[in-house]
Amino acid sequence: MSDEFRVHNFYNYTLEELPAVKNEFDGLYESALHFKEAQIDLSKLCKSCWLKKYDEQHGGHDVEDEKIYELAEDHWKEQEKNNGH
């Protein structure tokens, strides 16, 4: 989808509907931002530090998109394999 289409698509909403569209967009933006930050931190932080930052059970905050936890598990398995564990 081109940027031009995305911009013009906003014009299809009424003035009353636009605040809800903005709220939805802001939520999607925040979700994508947290996902990308957590993804970058996978290569920067050790497993326990990453979990402390991005897992509520370990004192952090959960990332809304649960796919990040699948990627994290795959990342740690690969690290263990490369380290000979």
Side-chain angles (χ1 to χ4, degrees):
M1 179 183 322
S2 72
D3 290 341
E4 182 179 353
F5 175 78
R6 290 179 185 165
V7 171
H8 289 291
N9 195 29
F10 282 101
Y11 292 110
N12 292 331
Y13 293 94
T14 65
L15 187 59
E16 292 79 18
E17 293 171 320
L18 283 172
V21 172
K22 180 185 182 301
N23 289 339
E24 181 180 351
F25 174 80
D26 287 345
L28 293 171
Y29 168 80
E30 289 295 321
S31 179
L33 182 65
H34 294 148
F35 181 92
K36 288 297 188 179
E37 289 171 342
Q39 187 177 30
I40 289 167
D41 279 347
L42 276 172
S43 62
K44 293 180 179 180
L45 301 174
C46 67
K47 181 177 180 177
S48 62
C49 292
W50 191 90
L51 288 170
K52 284 178 187 173
K53 187 172 182 179
Y54 295 108
D55 188 345
E56 190 174 294
Q57 292 178 352
H58 293 89
H61 65 277
D62 285 340
V63 177
E64 189 174 322
D65 187 340
E66 293 188 13
K67 175 108 173 118
I68 192 64
Y69 299 103
E70 295 171 24
L71 291 174
E73 287 298 327
D74 291 345
H75 172 77
W76 295 321
K77 285 178 186 173
E78 187 65 27
Q79 273 189 329
E80 287 177 8
K81 182 177 149 186
N82 291 338
N83 292 333
H85 292 116

